[in-house]
Amino acid sequence: MDLFSRSWAALRTAVAELPDEYFERPSGCTGWLVRDLVCHLVIDAQDVLITLVTPADTEPTVDAAGYWSLLDEPPTGDDPLDALIPRLAAAYGEPRWLKFHLDDVGSAAGRAAELADPAARVSTQDMVLTVGDYLSAYVLEWTLHHLDLIAHLPSAADPPAETLAAARAALEKIAGSPFPASFSDADALLVGTGRRAPADAEKAALSDFPAKLPLILG
């Protein structure tokens, strides 16, 4: 719960501190500008609110790692919701309205998470999991998207070190193997999810890595 709050607060703060002109720059999500990514975060926050008030009375079917599915190919943008995001982001017109909406909905999602019972069970996407596991899964989501946000913005703040470490551990659990110790937490996340190609030395370090890379999370 604490890591969820830290990762989400850090991401929202990073967005709030961005100069308006940065919203037209590319993000780390292929095909999306920073404004598109921020619009996606608004929808993510809505999903958190919806899930936390969707109780389940059956046993959990997945844990935090099982929440994620592995895709064979990266998203193409053809998915209807993915295709909607750039149009919706453009409709805001000015970055201040996107910032306002993210702060408004995002703050509510953060408060709801702090008030939720970690042991309670919730339902989302035909899965049942505990609130604790659901929020743990989102630590990976927030941290990856924080890296996406700052991918081409070198002056923006990095994700907190503790949430980077937790996100790396989550990705390693999904992969079923730790990344080489020579990888920083950020590099493990970026290379592991295909957000950047590995350098030659990283390829060599990954020569015995048992999982197929990249891990495309869906």
Side-chain angles (χ1 to χ4, degrees):
M1 303 283 277
D2 182 54
L3 288 172
F4 174 94
S5 296
R6 291 188 192 184
S7 58
W8 187 218
L11 179 50
R12 286 163 34 227
T13 298
V15 171
E17 293 176 349
L18 289 181
D20 286 359
E21 60 269 22
Y22 283 17
F23 278 66
E24 299 301 319
R25 295 189 182 183
S27 76
C29 294
T30 303
W32 276 4
L33 301 175
V34 166
R35 71 181 186 190
D36 304 327
L37 174 59
V38 174
C39 186
H40 170 75
L41 295 178
V42 172
I43 293 175
D44 264 356
Q46 292 172 341
D47 285 345
V48 169
L49 283 169
I50 291 168
T51 299
L52 291 179
V53 292
T54 307
D57 55 10
T58 59
E59 291 298 314
T61 58
V62 296
D63 59 9
Y67 171 85
W68 297 102
S69 57
L70 292 178
L71 307 178
D72 294 329
E73 299 290 340
T76 62
D78 294 333
D79 177 83
L81 182 57
D82 289 346
L84 172 65
I85 294 296
R87 299 199 301 273
L88 183 57
Y92 277 88
E94 299 178 44
R96 62 179 172 142
W97 299 121
L98 257 176
K99 288 182 177 181
F100 171 81
H101 201 183
L102 179 63
D103 180 64
D104 192 34
V105 181
S107 296
R111 289 193 299 272
E114 290 173 357
L115 294 169
D117 176 3
R121 288 165 289 181
V122 290
S123 177
T124 181
Q125 303 177 56
D126 297 323
M127 296 179 286
V128 174
L129 66 171
T130 66
V131 166
D133 278 336
Y134 175 69
L135 297 179
S136 293
Y138 259 83
V139 174
L140 178 55
E141 172 85 351
W142 300 147
T143 305
L144 286 173
H145 281 329
H146 196 142
L147 293 173
D148 291 332
L149 181 78
I150 67 173
H152 304 287
L153 309 175
S155 62
D158 292 330
E162 63 271 24
T163 61
L164 280 168
R168 175 188 183 145
L171 190 63
E172 289 176 337
K173 186 172 181 180
I174 294 168
S177 176
F179 285 93
S182 58
F183 280 50
S184 70
D185 294 337
D187 287 336
L189 293 166
L190 293 170
V191 172
T193 60
R195 282 166 162 79
R196 75 164 176 81
D200 288 343
E202 291 170 330
K203 287 181 182 178
L206 288 167
S207 60
D208 295 327
F209 195 76
K212 178 184 177 183
L213 296 179
L215 300 165
I216 303 169
L217 305 178

